[in-house]
Amino acid sequence: EKGSATTTVEDYDTKRLEELGYKQEFDREISLFAQAGFAFSTMAVLPNWLVGFAATMASGGPMSLFWGFIVISPFITCIGLAMAEVFSAFPVNGGVYSWCYLLSSEEWGPCMSKNILFIRFF
């Protein structure tokens, strides 16, 4: 009975979309530009923070670090939420490497996953 209730809900959703003039589809694909942006936004958050640490301490002191953290935190949270959304759509063990492979075209998938592997480890 549990399966029939799920099927009924799916049929209702499909029927409702058709009433609205839409076809039920879910395209799991991402552009090469968005994929590269995702990879570069997730790499080296802490090392980049450490690069500017000495200059920040010399220019503004601890308060500039505090306010910088307050200003940047929402943006880092948005990146984390975007990664969580991708992970919920593609629950695979490989993480970013598998996402790059799965979300790319057949031509670019292996190349992008190898590039991300190289960038993150070297």
Side-chain angles (χ1 to χ4, degrees), residues 45 49 65-79:
V45 173
W49 178 75
L65 287 173
F66 173 75
W67 288 110
F69 181 78
I70 296 297
V71 170
I72 295 301
S73 292
F75 298 108
I76 299 298
T77 302
C78 288
I79 291 171

Side-chain angles (χ1 to χ4, degrees), residues 89-105:
F90 294 96
V92 292
N93 289 334
V96 178
Y97 318 109
S98 297
W99 296 339
C100 290
Y101 182 78
L102 292 171
L103 295 172
S104 296
S105 64

Side-chain angles (χ1 to χ4, degrees), residues 97 112-122:
Y97 318 109
M112 289 304 290
S113 62
K114 288 177 187 174
N115 286 341
I116 299 306
L117 178 70
F118 180 76
I119 288 170
R120 295 209 33 134
F121 283 112
F122 298 107

